[in-house]
Amino acid sequence: MSKQLTAQSPATPLILGKMGSAYGIRGWLKVFSSTEDAESIFDYQPWFIQRAGQWQLVELEGWKRHNQDMIIKVKGIDDRDTAGLLTNCEIVVDSGQLPELDGGDYYWKDLIGCQVVTTQGYELGKVTELMETGSNDVLVVRANLKDAFGAKERLIPFLDGQVIKNVDLATGSIEVDWDPGF
């Protein structure tokens, strides 16, 4: 009697990148990483993808840099057509695999959904995403429906100490020194 193998699934899924188009004829694919240092996407294993609503484990045979791109070879995928079926699949890991950060460092995923409040107690809204601007990261904050300043969205620079006064992940709140009229 053969045992059925069940694909594990990530307990707390976190998207780290995306599979790109097929590369060459031997089943290689381009890969796009959303990690700060692109190559560090390979530090987090195993990878999962979702196909037809099912989690699927992805085993890498190898990866390499090619010109400006990174390309990967997935185990069991040996031709261009099969590789093409993975194009645009999001690369997911279990966020439990991420290393603990030092105090004052945060993963973007932990800041999304946090309430942003000024030091004077004015509720600015919720963090919907973060942007990299080169000089510093920026919180994109969706304003509350009846915002007194008529704001729909605020862009608040993530400048620790200067603008960001306190991040409390336990309560999901970020205290900022920011003018709500901005």
Side-chain angles (χ1 to χ4, degrees):
M1 200 156 57
S2 66
K3 277 198 312 199
Q4 279 280 305
L5 286 176
T6 56
Q8 348 161 211
S9 60
T12 47
L14 174 67
I15 297 167
L16 282 193
K18 193 172 169 175
M19 308 261 192
S21 55
Y23 177 82
I25 58 170
R26 300 194 196 289
W28 288 76
L29 284 151
K30 288 183 180 170
V31 68
F32 302 102
S33 168
S34 54
T35 55
E36 192 170 359
D37 166 26
E39 289 183 10
S40 64
I41 190 170
F42 301 109
D43 297 342
Y44 308 107
Q45 300 290 335
W47 285 2
F48 297 92
I49 56 172
Q50 251 187 334
R51 289 177 73 186
Q54 298 292 311
W55 285 109
Q56 213 173 311
L57 200 59
V58 174
E59 280 188 79
L60 290 188
E61 252 175 51
W63 71 273
K64 57 188 176 189
R65 280 213 163 272
H66 180 76
N67 299 332
Q68 299 305 312
D69 298 319
M70 291 185 305
I71 56 176
I72 56 171
K73 175 74 175 71
V74 176
K75 202 174 195 167
I77 299 211
D78 300 309
D79 64 80
R80 187 177 181 86
D81 293 344
T82 316
L85 299 173
L86 298 181
T87 298
N88 291 329
C89 281
E90 289 176 329
I91 299 166
V92 173
V93 297
D94 188 331
S95 64
Q97 296 169 264
L98 300 178
E100 285 294 309
L101 294 174
D102 300 333
D105 282 344
Y106 309 96
Y107 286 115
W108 282 13
K109 67 172 181 69
D110 295 331
L111 300 176
I112 291 172
C114 283
Q115 282 289 350
V116 181
V117 182
T118 67
T119 48
Q120 283 77 43
Y122 185 83
E123 292 197 12
L124 296 174
K126 264 193 170 128
V127 178
T128 55
E129 63 177 309
L130 285 100
M131 294 186 318
E132 256 180 293
T133 61
S135 52
N136 54 272
D137 297 335
V138 173
L139 296 173
V140 179
V141 179
R142 183 185 304 126
N144 298 313
L145 282 175
K146 295 190 166 72
D147 187 83
F149 296 86
K152 297 258 183 283
E153 190 177 78
R154 291 182 175 89
L155 301 177
I156 302 174
F158 197 91
L159 297 170
D160 212 16
Q162 237 175 308
V163 175
I164 308 296
K165 293 302 182 188
N166 186 34
V167 175
D168 187 343
L169 296 179
T171 61
S173 64
I174 301 174
E175 188 184 18
V176 296
D177 184 2
W178 195 252
D179 179 348
F182 256 46

